[in-house]
Amino acid sequence: MTRKEFIKICGILGLTLPFQSIFSKGSSRISSQEVIIIGAGAAGMTAAYLLNQMGISFKILEAKPTYGGRMKKLEDFTDFPLSLGAEWLSTNTNIFEEIINNPKVKIDIETTRYNPLESSLTWKKRKLRSGIIGFFNDKKFVNSSWLTFFEQYILPSISAYTHFNTIVKTIDYTSEKIKITTDTTEYNCDKVIVTIPVKMMQNRSLDFLPPLPKEQQKAFDTVMVWDGLKAFIEFSEKFYPAFTEFKIRPKKSGQIAYYDASYGQNTDKHILGLFAVGEASSPYLTKNKEELTRYILNELDQMFEQKASSNFIKITVQNWTNEAFIEGTYVYDYEDYRKVEKLGAPLANKVFFAGEAYTNGNNWGFVHTATQSAQAAVLRMFT
Ligand SMILES: Cc1cc2nc3c(=O)[nH]c(=O)nc-3n(C[C@H](O)[C@H](O)[C@H](O)COP(=O)(O)OP(=O)(O)OC[C@H]3O[C@@H](n4cnc5c(N)ncnc54)[C@H](O)[C@@H]3O)c2cc1C
């Protein structure tokens, strides 16, 4: 990569960097570096894509047999993809251009404004009431998803460098070359980008040598990651509004909502989504699928005059607390930003963090901010 190309990339990303310092030792210094990315979710794939554009050699090591992480989707439940994790686009659609970072690429991803206020209710003290439900500035993907976007525009240029079923156990950054080990293999590189979820860091699934600084370890050990699940239920009739939220007090205990998952889709199927996170999700999380189905139908029957059981067709459940290599949803909305800020501090200019909670204390818990943190990590590692 030439200096001109690098500046073009940074320019498109809207980033101003001290280019002089990056290139003072010659661009070959950068392009001869080897980067390893741990995790093939939104952050890992975005970082890989940008490194590829910059002509820097990289590998992604992913524990699961597939990519996507918390953008997981289900294609065969109904006639549009169901987003089992990230579902809403909580920023404007320019984000796609920012990730693709190439004005020649025509982006063909349809979204629609999500505005369920005209049809939303609150379930309070066992009664449905009309009420103001938060505020909605979000968009929904139409017959696609966050993961569809990555599959179409990002994966083609990075999939050849992705190693699946590769569970990273240790990162040893004591020497000049970093040593990364799995149960069977050792990899060497110059820089590493860690994107594994906070819950996996809390479980000590990854060992660092030397260990994380005390303050950073304390931040990992004390931030709260919400448990949670999503479920999608098909009914033969639509008897529910676009959005029904439970009043949860205190708010810190979580969020529970039933919402019309067919909203804005080109479909005549009636799919209701359940979103439950935090302590409030425990009645759902502690049940097996059969018990959960009965519990949900009973809950909906009470809310909607017994219409759920009689219209029920089928259900699918995504339990994020039990999901291997993720084990939770995201750092809870009410966490102290000063603590979150500490999670992603780089180590010795060799180990960088990117992803859901590594956003420097800003706006954590979204796909778009995970991608932005990945771009920031890549640019930071070469300045
Ligand atoms: C229920 C739910 C709803 C959400 N809703 C939205 C929404 O509507 N809109 C939105 O923008 N965001 C939403 N989010 C948040 C969004 O999904 C995440 O912020 C984003 O997907 C995180 O991406 P990531 O790359 O940081 O992490 P992940 O997607 O978790 O990727 C990390 C990857 O690391 C891998 N890994 C873990 N351990 C190892 C290891 N030891 N070795 C190798 N690989 C490993 C994992 O398998 C995983 O693939 C939601 C999340 C959840 C759970």
Side-chain angles (χ1 to χ4, degrees):
M1 185 189 51
T2 63
R3 177 189 158 93
K4 201 167 144 207
E5 282 164 346
F6 187 82
I7 290 172
K8 198 172 124 209
I9 282 171
C10 298
I12 293 166
L13 288 173
L15 297 157
T16 344
L17 289 168
F19 303 119
Q20 211 53 47
S21 65
I22 307 168
F23 288 95
S24 56
K25 292 180 197 149
S27 57
S28 61
R29 182 178 72 86
I30 293 176
S31 48
S32 65
Q33 301 263 307
E34 170 79 31
V35 180
I36 286 188
I37 299 162
I38 305 177
M45 289 194 280
T46 303
Y49 176 85
L50 182 55
L51 287 166
N52 189 50
Q53 276 186 331
M54 294 163 81
I56 294 167
S57 161
F58 68 90
K59 282 186 192 70
I60 305 184
L61 308 180
E62 166 57 53
K64 283 179 183 287
T66 190
Y67 50 80
R70 281 170 277 179
M71 297 188 294
K72 187 174 177 183
K73 66 175 154 85
L74 183 61
E75 296 274 8
D76 58 3
F77 186 82
T78 188
D79 55 5
F80 61 94
L82 292 179
S83 297
L84 300 177
E87 181 163 350
W88 282 267
L89 174 66
S90 301
T91 185
N92 67 47
T93 51
N94 293 349
I95 188 72
F96 301 136
E97 280 145 45
E98 283 166 28
I99 299 169
I100 291 174
N101 191 35
N102 179 352
K104 289 192 195 130
V105 176
K106 276 243 152 308
I107 301 161
D108 184 20
I109 291 284
E110 194 188 341
T111 59
T112 183
R113 179 125 201 274
Y114 188 64
N115 183 15
L117 290 178
E118 82 284 354
S119 161
S120 55
L121 296 170
T122 310
W123 180 242
K124 193 178 171 187
K125 293 197 183 139
R126 305 180 71 75
K127 269 206 167 111
L128 282 175
R129 294 157 199 249
S130 54
I132 304 295
I133 317 277
F135 80 81
F136 290 91
N137 214 359
D138 293 354
K139 294 169 195 69
K140 280 209 78 169
F141 289 83
V142 178
N143 292 72
S144 68
S145 70
W146 258 120
L147 191 52
T148 315
F149 164 76
F150 276 84
E151 287 172 336
Q152 269 175 252
Y153 298 99
I154 306 302
L155 264 177
S157 61
I158 62 169
S159 57
Y161 311 100
T162 308
H163 301 232
F164 293 108
N165 300 307
T166 306
I167 307 166
V168 174
K169 296 278 172 73
T170 59
I171 299 178
D172 177 348
Y173 62 104
T174 41
S175 311
E176 200 184 325
K177 282 274 177 194
I178 305 170
K179 255 192 280 172
I180 291 181
T181 49
T182 67
D183 275 341
T184 54
T185 315
E186 180 180 304
Y187 299 85
N188 292 291
C189 63
D190 301 285
K191 311 265 183 195
V192 57
I193 303 179
V194 177
T195 74
I196 78 165
V198 170
K199 197 75 197 188
M200 301 308 296
M201 293 288 291
Q202 292 180 333
N203 294 347
R204 302 286 202 279
S205 67
L206 201 52
D207 268 341
F208 290 83
L209 259 169
L212 295 183
K214 276 208 179 98
E215 276 288 286
Q216 195 167 2
Q217 186 61 60
K218 190 170 158 205
F220 270 113
D221 290 341
T222 54
V223 292
M224 192 201 286
V225 177
W226 262 343
D227 285 321
L229 61 58
K230 282 175 80 172
F232 293 91
I233 313 123
E234 181 176 357
F235 291 105
S236 48
E237 206 183 278
K238 182 173 179 288
F239 53 83
Y240 42 82
F243 203 90
T244 309
E245 189 172 41
F246 285 32
K247 271 271 176 260
I248 309 277
R249 289 287 179 264
K251 280 186 169 179
K252 289 180 175 186
S253 304
Q255 201 189 343
I256 296 177
Y258 284 102
Y259 61 96
D260 179 8
S262 303
Y263 185 101
Q265 310 303 309
N266 305 318
T267 183
D268 52 14
K269 305 277 185 196
H270 307 301
I271 312 291
L272 182 69
L274 164 65
F275 175 90
V277 291
E279 276 165 54
S281 67
S282 66
Y284 305 93
L285 280 173
T286 48
K287 294 181 172 53
N288 66 31
K289 190 173 171 189
E290 225 173 90
E291 292 163 346
L292 181 63
T293 307
R294 274 202 303 274
Y295 184 85
I296 288 174
L297 291 177
N298 180 41
E299 187 162 76
L300 290 167
D301 276 340
Q302 286 180 50
M303 290 158 71
F304 300 107
E305 298 164 344
Q306 309 301 318
K307 295 213 173 104
S309 301
S310 53
N311 286 292
F312 174 71
I313 298 178
K314 60 179 175 172
I315 184 168
T316 184
V317 179
Q318 169 65 42
N319 180 327
W320 283 102
T321 299
N322 288 348
E323 180 75 10
F325 306 108
I326 310 263
E327 299 189 3
T329 60
Y330 40 82
V331 169
Y332 94 131
D333 298 345
Y334 303 92
E335 191 50 272
D336 181 345
Y337 75 92
R338 286 163 299 194
K339 224 196 279 178
V340 182
E341 207 172 17
K342 295 197 172 103
L343 300 174
L347 308 171
N349 199 30
K350 287 181 183 164
V351 181
F352 295 80
F353 290 86
E356 178 261 308
Y358 312 117
T359 54
N360 209 13
N362 298 311
N363 243 350
W364 59 88
F366 296 99
V367 171
H368 68 280
T369 49
T371 66
Q372 286 160 344
S373 76
Q375 292 174 325
V378 167
L379 296 170
R380 190 167 180 186
M381 67 171 54
F382 295 114
T383 56

